[in-house]
Amino acid sequence: VQYLNGGGPFAVTVNADMPVKNLPELIAMAKAKPGAITYGVEMSSSVVPMVARLIKKRSNIDVVEVPYKTTSQLIQDVVAGRVNYTVGPPVSAETMVKAGKLRIIAVTTAARHDPMPDVMTVNETIPGLAVQGFLTLVAPAATPRDVVLALNRGVAAALKEPDLKKR
């Protein structure tokens, strides 16, 4: 029906009490404590674990992956300190970031993300590593054409809304 153009970044997010303020500090901590740092990933997406593993491989750190079935459980465990960090869409952690319980330390876009200009990119630490998410809206093949067109018009109109563009 519609490709939701642009998508957004993934974010490296840590517990707010963790003593790292950016990705280079997280990498330094992981190198100082091989095998002791954990990261959680929600496994229903193939992209998010891939991004987390690319960061691990390209920064040459020995960290332990902890798989999760749901994002909500993963975020709860990062907040509780049961895992040290996560990689995922920033919106997943937004409520806890605003509450001061989590901190986004890097985003995966090639350039800094406009809504978070003070947050560095992964690319600034690991040159060439930039990944942007995307969304696609689909409907069953048998969906009537008038319904598909109505959905397409509605999504296209929503994508023009300034508030949605900002988010």
Side-chain angles (χ1 to χ4, degrees), residues 1 11 21 29 61 69 86-87 109 117-119 126 133 144 146 153:
V1 173
K21 303 294 185 225
M29 176 185 275
I61 55 176
K69 290 182 181 179
T86 186
V87 176
T109 45
D118 296 332
V119 176
I126 308 168
D146 60 325
R153 283 191 301 273

Side-chain angles (χ1 to χ4, degrees), residues 67-136:
Y68 283 82
K69 290 182 181 179
T70 67
T71 301
S72 60
Q73 184 61 53
L74 168 57
I75 295 300
Q76 289 173 17
D77 281 1
V78 178
V79 167
R82 288 186 278 276
V83 292
N84 299 110
Y85 71 97
T86 186
V87 176
V91 69
S92 300
E94 183 176 33
T95 301
M96 292 297 149
V97 169
K98 287 180 179 175
K101 296 178 186 273
L102 295 178
R103 180 175 47 255
I104 295 175
I105 62 169
V107 293
T108 63
T109 45
R112 294 209 178 188
H113 188 52
D114 286 342
M116 297 179 269
D118 296 332
V119 176
M120 69 184 311
T121 68
V122 171
N123 189 45
E124 290 174 66
T125 304
I126 308 168
L129 204 165
V131 180
Q132 189 162 318
F134 62 91
L135 299 171
T136 304

Side-chain angles (χ1 to χ4, degrees), residues 1-2 4 6 8 21 27-28 39 42 48 56 63 77 85 91 100 105 119 127 130 150-151 157 166:
V1 173
Q2 178 79 24
L4 305 183
K21 303 294 185 225
I27 291 169
Y39 70 95
E42 195 266 315
V48 172
K56 174 183 175 176
V63 291
D77 281 1
Y85 71 97
V91 69
I105 62 169
V119 176
L151 284 169
K166 186 170 63 176

